[in-house]
Amino acid sequence: MARLFRSLRKTLTLTLTLTHQFQHQPCISRRSYISDMRKSAFEGNILRLLRNEIQYELQSSPPNNPVTKFNSFIVDGRAGERWITLKRQYADEDIKLEVTMFDGAVPAPTPTPNGGVVNSDEMQMHITVIVNISKGEGRVLEIMCSAWPDSIEIKRLFIRANEKIIAEPYAGPEFTELDDELQDKLYDFLEVRGINDELAGFLHQYMKNKDKVELIGWMERVKSFIERK
């Protein structure tokens, strides 16, 4: 009799265990299935939006292949970076420009009938240009500039012992504090080296294109990551 009870208890225990597993396993699988479905739908929605944005950018105004030369400058577009480099030789000088993508904006000036200027609702983009002019292994003249859509504006001048060393302790006065004639001559100094209003216009067009190229590239990389299994 005791043996019969032990056998019945084992059978009952096994039955209850299997029943418990049977009751709970479908629930776990169902939750996992629903979770996977939600994840797939969420990622699918992101991918759809990314594809639409990429297609829109490509169709609305397709980006151009970046140019590698402007007048006497060799242009290094620095793919994936937020800046570019331009280089050229002038007489015995090595000239290098480090140029940011758009890094600010101000209200665009609008001329008035009486010759004054007011700020409009439109914005004009700002680009920072760092000009480095060196002669062999000697000192480096560094000129900080702003590139507006149709003009170059000098902000400040520095002298460095070489390109890798920070500016000397006394960095000189603000450019606008200099004598007006000296300011004009320094603009002429840049002009003959090809750093002028024409270059400013080129930089703005180049950065508009680069901004679109980098945006499309970024969206493609995000899409590729989400698509990866």
Side-chain angles (χ1 to χ4, degrees):
M1 180 65 69
R3 192 184 317 171
L4 177 59
F5 280 129
R6 284 198 298 269
S7 178
L8 288 172
R9 188 167 58 187
K10 288 180 181 179
T11 301
L12 181 59
T13 301
L14 179 60
T15 300
L16 290 172
T17 301
L18 291 173
T19 301
H20 177 79
Q21 292 177 348
F22 177 78
Q23 289 175 340
H24 287 78
Q25 186 62 37
C27 182
I28 295 172
S29 298
R30 187 162 54 249
R31 284 199 300 268
S32 178
Y33 175 75
I34 293 173
S35 178
D36 289 344
M37 285 289 289
R38 286 175 177 169
K39 178 175 179 290
S40 178
F42 178 72
E43 292 179 351
N45 193 41
I46 293 176
L47 290 172
R48 176 181 60 80
L49 292 171
L50 285 170
R51 292 190 188 102
N52 289 344
E53 285 296 315
I54 292 170
Q55 184 178 18
Y56 172 79
E57 292 293 340
L58 291 173
Q59 291 181 348
S60 62
S61 55
N64 302 314
N65 291 327
V67 301
T68 57
K69 197 172 189 301
F70 175 75
N71 293 341
S72 299
F73 287 98
I74 302 299
V75 182
D76 182 353
R78 301 282 181 175
E81 300 285 348
R82 295 195 56 81
W83 56 286
I84 66 173
T85 300
L86 289 79
K87 293 182 179 180
R88 67 161 297 185
Q89 294 280 326
Y90 178 79
D92 61 341
E93 299 173 354
D94 294 318
I95 301 176
K96 181 176 77 170
L97 277 60
E98 294 181 337
V99 186
T100 67
M101 293 179 66
F102 299 125
D103 59 2
V106 298
T110 302
T112 61
N114 61 4
V117 175
V118 296
N119 292 334
S120 70
D121 293 334
E122 296 183 3
M123 303 297 289
Q124 64 174 1
M125 304 304 292
H126 177 269
I127 293 173
T128 298
V129 181
I130 304 174
V131 180
N132 282 289
I133 302 175
S134 61
K135 299 181 179 182
E137 299 298 324
R139 294 178 181 274
V140 176
L141 174 62
E142 181 172 294
I143 306 175
M144 300 285 295
C145 300
S146 291
W148 300 105
D150 57 359
S151 65
I152 288 285
E153 178 185 1
I154 299 175
K155 307 299 289 185
R156 200 152 190 168
L157 287 79
F158 304 88
I159 288 290
R160 299 181 185 278
N162 62 58
E163 191 175 333
K164 297 181 179 179
I165 295 179
I166 62 174
E168 294 180 350
Y170 177 67
E174 294 289 340
F175 182 75
T176 53
E177 295 175 2
L178 299 175
D179 177 80
D180 289 346
E181 185 179 1
L182 177 56
Q183 291 184 40
D184 291 340
K185 293 303 180 183
L186 286 169
Y187 276 110
D188 292 341
F189 178 83
L190 290 183
E191 174 78 33
V192 298
R193 288 159 177 78
I195 304 165
N196 51 27
D197 297 347
E198 183 186 4
L199 176 66
F202 163 76
L203 292 176
H204 274 258
Q205 291 302 315
Y206 188 99
M207 290 309 183
K208 285 180 183 177
N209 189 69
K210 180 174 172 61
D211 187 66
K212 182 176 286 286
V213 169
E214 297 296 348
L215 173 61
I216 293 172
W218 175 82
M219 289 192 293
E220 289 283 7
R221 291 191 294 274
V222 174
K223 182 172 73 71
S224 177
F225 178 87
I226 294 175
E227 288 174 336
R228 192 181 308 155
K229 301 299 182 182

